[in-house]
């Protein structure tokens, strides 16, 4: 991907995501290798797990005439949130989901790297087990990002 600015795009998106009320611990990598006992300490507050990852999921290039190319990326945010009492946990989680959706509804471009972003697609929370120990809600967000580049 000569000339792609995907790393700068992900960095910008992570900064925007981190500024949303209720969002904390945004990592620009997938946390895959941790001892289960370390997960709450590193990825949550007290004994709860609450963290985000943001990574490119896919890139589809389209070649135009000459040296112009369009790169259509999908950037994925994943939110891991400890499952607790449904009457407490789910309303709190729903507020965060709506806040993230609202924030990214007004991100139309990432200047100067990406000409078009969005709209944000949400996969509502599903239960997942991490570290064979912690039951969490996993919410997945996918943000299309279009980048126009000239390759020479």
């Amino acid at each position: 991907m000569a000339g792609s600015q995907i790393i700068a795009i992900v960095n910008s998106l992570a900064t925007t995501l981190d500024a949303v009320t209720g969002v904390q611990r945004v990592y620009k990598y997938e946390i895959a290798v941790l001892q289960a006992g370390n997960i709450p300490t590193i990825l949550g507050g007290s004994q709860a797990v609450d963290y985000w990852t943001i990574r490119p999921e896919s890139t589809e290039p389209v070649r135009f005439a000459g040296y112009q190319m369009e790169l259509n990326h999908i950037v994925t945010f994943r939110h891991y949130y400890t499952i607790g009492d449904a009457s407490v946990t789910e309303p709190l989680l729903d507020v965060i989901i709506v806040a993230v959706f609202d924030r990214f509804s007004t991100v139309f471009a990432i200047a100067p790297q990406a000409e078009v972003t969005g709209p944000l697609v949400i996969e509502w929370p599903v239960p997942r087990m991490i570290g064979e120990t912690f039951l969490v809600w996993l919410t997945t967000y996918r943000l299309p990002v279009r980048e126009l580049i000239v390759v020479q």
Side-chain angles (χ1 to χ4, degrees):
M1 292 187 298
S4 176
Q5 295 294 308
I6 189 62
I7 293 170
I9 291 167
V10 168
N11 289 338
S12 177
L13 291 172
T15 300
T16 302
L17 178 62
D18 194 39
V20 175
T21 301
V23 172
Q24 52 190 345
R25 285 179 286 287
V26 177
Y27 298 95
K28 292 173 275 186
Y29 54 91
E30 287 291 337
I31 301 164
V33 182
L34 288 174
Q35 294 179 350
N38 292 339
I39 290 174
T41 307
I42 296 170
L43 304 178
S46 66
Q47 292 302 307
V49 174
D50 182 3
Y51 72 97
W52 295 74
T53 61
I54 179 169
R55 294 287 301 148
E57 180 179 298
S58 65
T59 298
E60 181 181 347
V62 177
R63 184 174 305 284
F64 296 127
Y67 293 99
Q68 288 188 335
M69 288 180 60
E70 181 179 273
L71 300 177
N72 295 303
H73 306 287
I74 300 294
V75 178
T76 301
F77 315 158
R78 289 186 179 89
H79 182 207
Y80 300 84
Y81 194 84
T82 294
I83 290 181
D85 182 326
S87 65
V88 176
T89 304
E90 291 177 33
L92 293 174
L93 188 54
D94 290 349
V95 168
I96 296 169
I97 292 167
V98 171
V100 170
F101 181 77
D102 288 348
R103 177 61 186 98
F104 281 92
S105 293
T106 59
V107 176
F108 302 108
I110 302 167
Q113 294 90 6
E115 283 69 27
V116 180
T117 67
L120 187 64
V121 176
I122 301 170
E123 276 184 35
W124 286 79
V126 294
R128 288 288 185 264
M129 186 70 75
I130 59 173
E132 298 182 3
T133 307
F134 299 96
L135 188 58
V136 298
W137 288 115
L138 171 60
T139 309
T140 305
Y141 305 76
R142 287 185 174 82
L143 184 68
V145 176
R146 186 177 312 149
E147 179 184 11
L148 184 63
I149 63 170
V150 176
V151 182
Q152 294 199 33

